[in-house]
Amino acid sequence: MAEGSTTSDSQPRTALVTGGSGGIGRAIARRLSADGFSVAVHYMGNADKAAEVVREITGTGGQAIAVSGDVADEAAMVRLFDEVEAAFGGIDVVINTAGVMVLSTVVDLDLDELDRMHRTNIRGSFVVSQLAAQRLRSGGALVNVSTSQTRMQHPTYAPYAASKAAVEALTPVLARELRGRDITVNAIAPGPTATPLFLNGKDQEAIDRLAQLAPLERLGTPEDIAEVAAFLAGPSRWINGQVIYPNGGLA
């Protein structure tokens, strides 16, 4: 699809959700389908989970496909964008939820793990953002995903928060670089959210303690985050170059 092209009134809008087989990505893919989008559900390692999301969407009358690729591999992602455009005619929205989280104190951090995480969270975000900037149709939206840990400063989150701080720096700059294209670029930075990624390795005491941090006294849900992503993907054309913190009032 040529740069700057638009979606016709008769053609459904298309969304690509990276990490779409995971907790937050899955909720976003389902929500965007409910809003009328055709959805490309990206996965890296779990084809079965991605296929489940596709079945959920098509089972309710929506359109969806599963697509695979390493978000940090620019050649693989070019092929993926080509595949989505071939299936649906173009791409209007990219929600970039793919990410890796490594928890460690700074003093004990395995630097190989840092490199692995940064490859996905930083390089992957740049690769996806670059392709979105090149390929999104006019009226489109890119939504990157950060974390409220960039503000909360909890011990053991420094490596992860540092990688997501790069995403927060990238987002408003790209929004300004796309002046005149009618494409919004924003980021969402969730607080503690009840996903398998977040809950992994935490005992019930830790989960309960984290749930009490927010004034609303609960963990977020993937659906809470999907509401914000859907807003930025659709009606919120006057929000641009921002980082939104859906975290129940934590910070």
Side-chain angles (χ1 to χ4, degrees):
M1 182 62 61
E3 182 178 298
S5 59
T6 58
T7 311
S8 68
D9 292 340
S10 61
Q11 185 178 19
R13 299 181 77 209
T14 297
L16 165 62
V17 183
T18 72
S21 64
I24 289 175
R26 183 175 194 149
I28 290 172
R30 294 169 61 182
R31 172 56 195 271
L32 292 181
S33 175
D35 287 349
F37 283 83
S38 299
V39 182
V41 179
H42 162 267
Y43 68 96
M44 179 58 182
N46 198 322
D48 291 341
K49 282 189 176 181
E52 285 178 10
V53 180
V54 170
R55 284 195 297 271
E56 289 173 357
I57 290 172
T58 57
T60 58
Q63 295 188 70
I65 59 171
V67 290
S68 180
D70 178 356
V71 292
D73 182 336
E74 62 271 31
M77 293 309 290
V78 166
R79 291 191 294 270
L80 183 146
F81 272 68
D82 288 344
E83 184 178 351
V84 177
E85 289 182 347
F88 295 128
I91 304 175
D92 302 285
V93 169
V94 173
I95 313 288
N96 189 27
T97 79
V100 173
M101 182 167 66
V102 175
L103 299 184
S104 172
T105 61
V106 173
V107 71
D108 293 323
L109 178 62
D110 181 336
L111 294 179
D112 288 339
E113 287 291 281
L114 180 71
D115 291 342
R116 179 177 70 88
M117 182 173 59
H118 281 200
R119 185 176 188 278
T120 297
N121 294 359
I122 298 180
R123 180 183 172 88
S125 292
F126 270 80
V127 168
V128 172
S129 294
Q130 183 180 68
L131 284 167
Q134 294 169 353
R135 312 275 286 261
L136 283 174
R137 294 187 282 206
S138 180
L142 167 64
V143 181
N144 285 315
V145 175
S146 178
T147 173
S148 288
Q149 288 295 340
T150 57
R151 287 181 161 187
M152 293 164 63
Q153 303 166 359
H154 286 158
T156 75
Y157 279 90
Y160 180 62
S163 72
K164 289 300 188 175
V167 176
E168 294 189 12
L170 159 68
T171 296
V173 174
L174 180 56
R176 285 152 181 80
E177 291 177 349
L178 294 183
R179 174 182 294 274
R181 290 278 305 283
D182 190 25
I183 293 170
T184 61
V185 184
N186 294 290
I188 52 178
T193 305
T195 66
L197 178 68
F198 175 78
L199 297 174
N200 183 46
K202 296 181 175 69
D203 59 25
Q204 191 60 49
E205 181 181 354
I207 293 168
D208 292 343
R209 175 175 51 80
L210 289 164
Q212 293 300 308
L213 292 177
L216 296 177
E217 297 187 336
R218 66 173 177 85
L219 295 177
T221 68
E223 290 71 26
D224 290 326
I225 311 308
E227 290 285 339
V228 182
F231 179 61
L232 294 173
S236 63
R237 300 306 301 167
W238 199 234
I239 297 178
N240 191 25
Q242 305 299 312
V243 181
I244 310 298
Y245 295 85
N247 58 27
L250 272 174

